[in-house]
Amino acid sequence: MADGMTMDEWFTSALRMTTRLIEIGGIAIIVIGLMAGTIGYLRRLVVGAPGTEAYSGYRSSVGRAILLGLEFLVAADIINTVAIEPTLQSLAILAGIILIRTFLSFSLEVEIDGRWPWQRQDGQSREKAS
């Protein structure tokens, strides 16, 4: 390398930049999703949609944005831990972060869809049929 960086230093630097970009993307998804959900909520209220219907749509759109943003943040944490700082302490921290974010993801998905992620889509229709 021209500036005296070894290949390992360059690779580590590139990985750090990549994880930062992924983290920024995750944060941007959450912020943009929140703004878009709020605009959609206000638009529904203006056109006369019932308040409960507008609110339900708002929670759903914001929840989906948070879920997608969390996926990006977890991906950045995985890259950081596995490729940049592969120590037992960083692995333990990653495990804790993933557990918390997985719990949040499941909770949000239950809030949005009204069912656990592993339940089949047609499970509710079978229950009604019996």
Side-chain angles (χ1 to χ4, degrees):
M1 301 276 131
D3 63 356
M5 287 180 81
T6 67
M7 185 61 115
D8 285 343
E9 290 170 333
W10 179 86
F11 185 68
T12 301
S13 178
L15 282 176
R16 286 186 196 282
M17 180 61 71
T18 301
T19 58
R20 283 290 170 234
L21 290 173
I22 294 170
E23 288 171 339
I24 290 168
I27 293 167
I29 287 168
I30 293 171
V31 170
I32 292 169
L34 182 62
M35 291 183 335
T38 302
I39 291 168
Y41 171 72
L42 295 174
R43 190 175 290 157
R44 283 186 213 103
L45 287 179
V46 168
V47 297
T52 55
E53 182 182 311
Y55 179 71
S56 176
Y58 178 64
R59 283 181 55 132
S60 178
S61 63
V62 168
R64 291 182 200 287
I66 291 170
L67 280 173
L68 184 58
L70 284 174
E71 294 298 327
F72 273 70
L73 293 171
V74 167
D77 286 338
I78 290 170
I79 292 169
N80 187 49
T81 300
V82 172
I84 298 174
E85 299 176 35
T87 65
L88 285 178
Q89 182 180 3
S90 64
L91 186 60
I93 291 169
L94 175 65
I97 290 169
I98 289 177
L99 282 173
I100 291 167
R101 289 186 177 161
T102 299
F103 174 76
L104 286 173
S105 294
F106 281 161
S107 298
L108 287 169
E109 197 153 334
V110 168
E111 283 285 323
I112 293 168
D113 296 333
R115 62 182 173 80
W116 291 105
W118 54 83
Q119 289 177 319
R120 292 175 37 161
Q121 185 70 21
D122 63 350
Q124 293 172 342
S125 62
R126 267 191 283 147
E127 289 174 7
K128 291 179 182 176
S130 43

